[in-house]
Amino acid sequence: MFPDDLTTDVLAAALRGYDARNAALANNIANAETPGYRRRDVSFEAALAEAVDNERAAMRRDPRLPELPRAPSDEVGGSAPTVRSIDTTVVRADGSNVDPDDEMAQLSANQLAHQTVTSLLDKRLSQFRTAILGR
């Protein structure tokens, strides 16, 4: 998003991850009564955390800029969420493994996390706006 702002890139990547998880959870709920349907989940937190750790380590190793941050690589912004089928949960008689109550709880938690990151990103962009416009 911004070539030299790791924080904004991380927040934007987190939003993409929460959006993908929201879609997967909504799909699980929609298919809760579909025989043989296997629930799907999205993982992105570990990959995003690893990308951030790699960026921080690279910033510390740059001998040319000992105190100034360098532009982050595309690793953080490019960390894509991974959608996978979950086969470890209990399967019902019809072959599905979706528990609608559990999916709704996860959807609620995911939406709360999404709202939090959205608020943080909005504040971050407001800081840029203030710096640029001086008000």
Side-chain angles (χ1 to χ4, degrees), residues 66-135:
E67 295 183 22
L68 297 175
R70 64 174 186 75
S73 69
D74 291 333
E75 185 175 1
V76 172
S79 60
T82 303
V83 180
R84 65 190 195 300
S85 289
I86 306 297
D87 294 327
T88 58
T89 55
V90 177
V91 178
R92 298 188 323 240
D94 67 357
S96 176
N97 66 348
V98 177
D99 177 358
D101 292 332
D102 186 48
E103 298 298 318
M104 291 298 291
Q106 289 185 42
L107 184 63
S108 178
N110 189 69
Q111 289 173 339
L112 181 60
H114 187 280
Q115 288 172 354
T116 301
V117 172
T118 300
S119 177
L120 291 170
L121 187 57
D122 181 55
K123 288 180 185 193
R124 185 76 175 165
L125 296 177
S126 290
Q127 291 172 337
F128 288 140
R129 194 171 21 260
T130 300
I132 293 169
L133 299 176
R135 47 184 154 112

Side-chain angles (χ1 to χ4, degrees), residues 26-49:
N27 196 40
N28 291 344
I29 293 166
N31 287 289
E33 300 300 320
T34 303
Y37 179 81
R38 298 296 183 154
R39 72 175 302 276
R40 291 179 176 85
D41 194 14
V42 174
S43 62
F44 67 93
E45 291 95 339
L48 184 56

